[in-house]
C-alpha cells in the first residue's frame, strides 16, 4: 500500500507539473516544484487549509475573528484563491489591495480623529506587510513625547486621536485630586516641565508669591484658604476670635481691618476705632455707636425715636434724616416741636393763619391739599364751587385776600356786558351757571304777560339796568317806533291794544 500510494502521489505531481498554468509568485518560488504544498489532488476545497497551514498568522486571525481576514465578511464566504490567485509570474501582485477604497474599520486599528487624515504610507512602510504596521502610540509618536517617557507608553490614557494636544486625564487617579480653581489651569501652569516630575503638592509650594502674609502665617495655607477661591478664606472669625463677623462685617476682606501682620494685630473692637471718620455726629454721641447703628446698615440707624423721645415720628417724618432736624452739635440741643420751627420757610401764608399748621396739614404729605372745612367760613362751597381746587379761587395762599362776590371771579363769564350790574346771584346759582332763574313778576314792578313772556331779556334791556329803572312802564317807552298813529292817541297804547298781540285791538266801548 505504501508503494502504491507513493507511486500514485508521484504520478499526480508529475501530471500537475505538466499542466501548471504558469510561474508562481516570487514568494512561492521555493515551493513551485512541490505542488502538494498548496494543492490537494482532486480536492479544491481542501486548498484553503493548506494556505492557513503555511500562513499561520492569517489562519489565527480567521479563527479568532481578528484582523482584516477575521473581520471581513467576504473572507468568510470565499476561498483564498478567490482573491489571491497564483501562477501569474514571479512579479505578480496577488494581494490586490485598493488603498483608496479600503475600509480600515475591518482591521484591529480603526482610524479615528486625525488618523483618518493620514496617508497609508504614513504608517505602512513599503517594505513591510500591512499587518505589521505599529499600533502603539509611541511606535509612531515617540519623537512627539514631550514627557520623555517618564509617563510610560500608555499615551491614550491622556491623549486622543482627535487632537494630540487635547488632553483627557482624570487627575483624581493621582494622589492630588483637582478641586475648585485647580480645575481651571492648564497642565503647564503647575508642571514646570512636561515630565511631570517633582511637582509640588503643598499650597505654599505653588502660591508662595501669592502669600500676602509674607510667610508670617506659616505655610499651612489650607488652615484659612481653600481651592474654591483663594480670597474666600475658611477662617472662622466667630470661633477663633472674640469679634464675630456679622452682616456687613462679614463681607469685608481681612486687610480692610487688619494690617500686613494680622496675627500679631491687637485690635480695638469699639466701633469708633474703625469708623471715626464715618461719625456724622462729630463725637457728640460718644463711642457707643451700637446704641443706634448696627453692622447691617450703617446709614440706617436703629434708634427708636418714638420710644426714646417725646416727639413721635409719623408720616413723612419717618423718612427724614437725623441731621435734617438735629443741627450741629447733634443731640446736644433738642429742636422745638412746633411745625413752624422747622417749616417756617415752607409757610406761604405769611403768618396770617397762625402757627397751628396741623389744623390743615398732616405729617403724611405737607403739600397735599389740606383738610379744611370751608363751610365754617363766610363763603360755604355750594354746587360747582365744591368741585374746585383751592387755587381755582385763591390766587395766593394768604386766603384772606380772596374776594367773595360772583363778579370778582366770573367777570369774564358775564355775557350781559354789565347791563345787570354785579348781582349775578339774582338769576344764577352755583349749581350750574347756565341754569339761571329770574321771576320778573316778583322781582320787578313790571309784570310780564302775554307776548312779553317770550321776549329775550336783551330785547328790552339794552342799557344799564340802573337807567331802565328811571324809565316808566308805558308801552310807548319801548314801542314808539311801532306807533302807526304817530302819537295821536297818546302814549297809553294799552287803552286799545293788548299785550298778547299788538294787532289785537280792544273796543273802546
Amino acid at each position: 500500500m505504501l508503494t502504491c500510494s507513493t507511486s500514485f502521489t508521484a504520478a499526480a505531481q508529475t501530471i500537475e507539473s505538466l499542466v501548471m498554468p504558469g510561474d508562481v509568485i516570487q514568494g512561492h518560488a521555493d515551493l513551485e516544484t512541490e505542488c502538494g504544498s498548496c494543492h490537494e489532488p482532486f480536492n479544491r476545497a481542501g486548498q484553503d487549509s493548506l494556505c492557513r497551514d503555511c500562513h499561520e498568522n492569517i489562519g489565527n486571525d480567521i479563527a479568532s475573528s481578528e484582523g482584516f481576514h477575521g473581520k471581513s465578511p467576504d473572507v468568510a464566504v470565499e476561498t483564498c484563491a478567490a482573491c489571491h490567485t497564483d501562477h501569474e509570474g514571479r512579479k505578480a501582485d496577488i494581494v490586490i489591495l485598493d488603498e483608496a477604497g479600503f475600509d480600515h474599520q475591518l482591521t484591529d486599528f480603526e482610524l479615528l480623529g486625525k488618523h483618518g487624515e493620514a496617508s497609508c504610507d504614513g504608517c505602512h512602510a513599503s517594505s513591510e506587510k500591512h499587518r505589521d504596521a505599529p499600533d502603539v502610540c509611541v511606535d509612531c509618536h515617540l519623537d512627539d513625547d514631550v514627557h520623555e517617557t517618564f509617563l510610560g507608553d500608555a499615551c491614550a490614557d491622556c491623549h486622543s486621536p482627535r487632537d494630540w494636544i487635547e488632553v483627557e486625564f482624570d487627575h483624581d487617579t493621582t494622589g492630588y485630586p483637582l478641586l475648585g480653581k485647580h480645575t481651571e489651569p492648564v497642565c503647564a501652569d503647575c508642571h514646570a516641565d512636561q515630565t511631570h516630575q517633582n511637582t509640588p503638592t503643598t499650597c505654599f509650594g505653588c502660591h508662595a508669591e501669592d502669600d500676602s502674609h509674607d510667610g508670617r502665617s506659616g505655610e499651612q495655607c489650607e488652615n484659612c484658604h481653600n481651592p474654591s477661591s483663594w480670597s474666600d478664606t475658611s477662617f472662622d472669625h466667630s470661633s477663633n476670635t472674640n469679634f464675630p463677623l456679622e452682616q456687613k462685617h462679614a463681607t469685608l476682606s481681612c486687610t480692610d481691618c487688619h494690617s500686613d501682620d494680622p496675627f500679631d494685630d491687637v485690635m480695638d473692637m469699639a466701633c469708633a476705632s474703625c469708623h471715626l471718620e464715618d461719625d456724622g455726629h462729630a463725637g457728640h454721641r460718644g463711642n457707643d455707636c451700637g446704641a443706634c447703628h448696627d453692622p447691617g446698615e450703617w446709614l440706617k440707624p436703629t434708634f427708636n425715636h418714638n420710644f426714646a423721645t417725646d416727639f413721635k415720628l409719623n408720616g413723612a417724618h419717618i423718612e427724614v434724616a437725623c441731621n435734617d432736624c438735629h443741627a450741629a452739635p447733634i443731640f446736644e440741643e433738642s429742636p422745638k416741636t412746633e411745625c413752624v420751627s422747622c417749616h417756617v420757610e415752607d409757610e406761604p401764608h405769611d403768618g396770617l393763619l397762625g402757627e397751628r399748621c396741623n389744623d390743615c396739614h398732616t405729617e403724611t404729605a405737607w403739600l397735599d391739599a389740606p383738610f379744611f372745612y370751608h363751610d365754617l367760613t363766610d363763603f360755604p362751597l355750594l354746587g360747582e364751587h365744591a368741585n374746585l381746587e383751592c387755587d381755582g379761587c385763591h390766587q395766593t395762599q394768604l386766603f384772606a385776600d380772596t374776594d367773595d362776590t360772583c363778579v370778582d371771579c366770573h367777570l369774564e363769564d358775564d355775557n350781559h356786558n354789565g347791563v345787570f350790574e354785579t348781582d349775578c346771584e339774582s338769576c344764577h346759582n352755583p349749581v350750574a351757571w347756565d341754569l339761571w332763574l329770574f321771576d320778573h313778576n316778583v322781582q320787578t314792578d313790571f309784570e310780564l304777560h302775554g307776548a312779553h313772556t317770550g321776549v329775550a331779556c336783551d330785547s328790552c334791556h339794552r342799557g344799564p339796568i340802573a337807567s331802565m329803572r328811571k324809565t316808566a312802564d308805558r308801552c310807548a317807552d319801548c314801542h314808539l317806533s311801532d306807533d302807526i298813529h304817530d302819537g295821536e292817541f297818546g302814549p297809553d297804547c294799552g287803552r286799545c291794544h293788548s299785550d298778547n298781540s299788538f294787532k289785537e285791538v280792544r273796543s273802546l266801548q
Side-chain angles (χ1 to χ4, degrees):
M1 294 296 292
L2 179 61
T3 303
C4 181
S5 174
T6 303
S7 300
F8 177 82
T9 303
Q13 288 179 340
T14 302
I15 293 172
E16 291 176 351
S17 299
L18 291 174
V19 297
M20 185 173 64
D23 295 338
V24 297
I25 63 171
Q26 182 64 42
H28 291 165
D30 57 342
L31 302 174
E32 190 172 50
T33 59
E34 301 292 335
C35 300
S37 298
C38 299
H39 303 281
E40 278 191 26
F42 310 108
N43 183 14
R44 182 176 293 274
Q47 184 173 330
D48 282 356
S49 62
L50 295 176
C51 293
R52 296 175 187 176
D53 289 342
C54 188
H55 299 281
E56 293 182 2
N57 51 2
I58 293 178
N60 293 333
D61 285 348
I62 294 174
S64 60
S65 298
E66 295 180 353
F68 171 74
H69 291 88
K71 294 183 177 180
S72 173
D74 295 335
V75 173
V77 297
E78 295 288 351
T79 64
C80 301
C83 296
H84 308 291
T85 60
D86 208 340
H87 297 286
E88 298 291 336
R90 295 285 192 264
K91 296 183 178 181
D93 179 11
I94 67 171
V95 175
I96 317 175
L97 175 62
D98 179 12
E99 292 186 345
F102 182 74
D103 186 359
H104 220 281
Q105 288 186 346
L106 298 177
T107 71
D108 295 333
F109 193 88
E110 184 179 357
L111 298 183
L112 302 174
K114 294 293 184 178
H115 286 155
E117 302 174 8
S119 62
C120 298
D121 57 5
C123 299
H124 298 283
S126 59
S127 60
E128 297 179 1
K129 295 179 180 180
H130 282 70
R131 66 175 293 112
D132 293 334
D135 58 359
V136 179
C137 301
V138 294
D139 290 340
C140 288
H141 298 285
L142 183 60
D143 293 340
D144 302 324
D145 181 15
V146 295
H147 312 301
E148 301 178 10
T149 70
F150 280 103
L151 301 184
D153 58 6
C155 308
D157 288 348
C158 300
H159 302 276
S160 74
R162 294 191 302 273
D163 189 338
W164 185 256
I165 301 177
E166 180 181 337
V167 177
E168 295 178 356
F169 178 70
D170 185 2
H171 214 280
D172 290 349
T173 59
T174 71
Y176 193 90
L178 299 182
L179 305 174
K181 293 291 185 179
H182 284 160
T183 60
E184 299 177 4
V186 297
C187 304
D189 288 339
C190 297
H191 298 284
D193 60 57
Q194 298 197 56
T195 64
H196 294 200
Q197 301 298 302
N198 302 318
T199 304
T201 57
T202 64
C203 302
F204 198 79
C206 285
H207 297 285
E209 295 182 357
D210 303 324
D211 180 19
S212 59
H213 314 300
D214 292 333
R216 291 186 300 272
S217 302
E219 297 184 2
Q220 302 300 315
C221 311
E222 62 274 12
N223 288 342
C224 298
H225 303 276
N226 63 73
S228 297
S229 176
W230 184 257
S231 58
D232 182 14
T233 67
S234 55
F235 181 77
D236 189 348
H237 212 278
S238 299
S239 300
N240 298 323
T241 73
N242 295 323
F243 191 88
L245 298 181
E246 299 174 346
Q247 299 178 6
K248 290 290 185 179
H249 285 155
T251 65
L252 300 176
S253 65
C254 303
T255 54
D256 287 336
C257 298
H258 294 280
S259 68
D260 291 337
D261 194 359
F263 292 93
D264 289 338
D265 286 343
V266 178
M267 304 293 295
D268 184 352
M269 291 180 289
C271 301
S273 65
C274 285
H275 298 284
L276 186 60
E277 294 182 357
D278 303 324
D279 180 15
H281 315 302
H284 296 299
R285 288 295 292 165
N287 293 334
D288 189 15
C289 310
C292 299
H293 303 275
D294 65 41
E297 183 59 57
W298 181 258
L299 297 179
K300 189 175 182 180
T302 57
F303 181 77
N304 192 320
H305 210 279
N306 294 352
F307 291 152
T309 73
D310 296 329
F311 188 84
K312 293 184 178 182
L313 300 182
N314 299 314
H317 284 153
I318 298 174
E319 304 298 327
V320 175
C322 303
N323 54 8
D324 285 343
C325 298
H326 297 278
I330 299 173
F331 298 110
E332 292 188 358
E333 182 179 351
S334 298
K336 296 180 180 179
T337 58
E338 295 81 7
C339 301
V340 293
S341 63
C342 285
H343 297 285
V344 64
E345 294 182 358
D346 303 326
E347 204 275 286
H349 313 301
D350 288 346
L352 296 178
L353 302 184
E355 296 184 355
R356 294 179 55 83
C357 310
N358 52 332
D359 285 348
C360 298
H361 300 277
T362 69
E363 296 171 285
T364 302
W366 181 259
L367 296 179
D368 275 0
F371 171 76
F372 182 74
Y373 195 55
H374 213 280
D375 289 351
L376 296 179
T377 69
D378 294 334
F379 193 90
L381 299 181
L382 304 175
E384 288 297 320
H385 285 158
N387 297 327
L388 296 176
E389 298 292 338
C390 301
D391 57 4
C393 299
H394 299 283
Q395 302 303 310
T396 70
Q397 294 188 18
L398 298 179
F399 300 126
D401 61 351
T402 304
D403 295 319
D404 59 358
T405 63
C406 301
V407 73
D408 290 331
C409 287
H410 298 286
L411 182 61
E412 294 181 357
D413 302 324
D414 180 17
N415 55 16
H416 309 303
N417 297 321
V419 169
F420 296 114
E421 298 176 344
T422 61
D423 295 331
C424 310
E425 63 274 14
S426 297
C427 300
H428 302 277
N429 65 74
V431 176
W433 185 255
D434 55 350
L435 294 179
W436 61 274
L437 180 64
F438 183 77
D439 191 341
H440 211 279
N441 296 347
V442 175
Q443 294 176 254
T444 72
D445 297 330
F446 188 84
E447 296 184 6
L448 301 181
H449 300 290
H452 284 154
T453 59
V455 175
C457 301
D458 56 3
S459 295
C460 298
H461 296 280
R462 300 173 183 174
I465 197 169
S467 63
M468 293 196 68
R469 290 193 181 101
K470 300 177 182 179
T471 304
D473 56 0
R474 299 172 301 176
C475 301
D477 291 337
C478 287
H479 298 285
L480 183 62
S481 60
D482 301 323
D483 183 10
I484 59 176
H485 309 299
D486 292 333
E488 293 181 5
F489 296 104
D492 187 12
C493 307
R495 292 171 53 205
C496 299
H497 300 276
S498 73
D499 51 11
N500 290 323
S501 172
F502 200 76
K503 294 180 179 180
E504 182 180 319
V505 180
R506 292 196 295 266
S507 172
L508 296 177
Q509 293 181 352

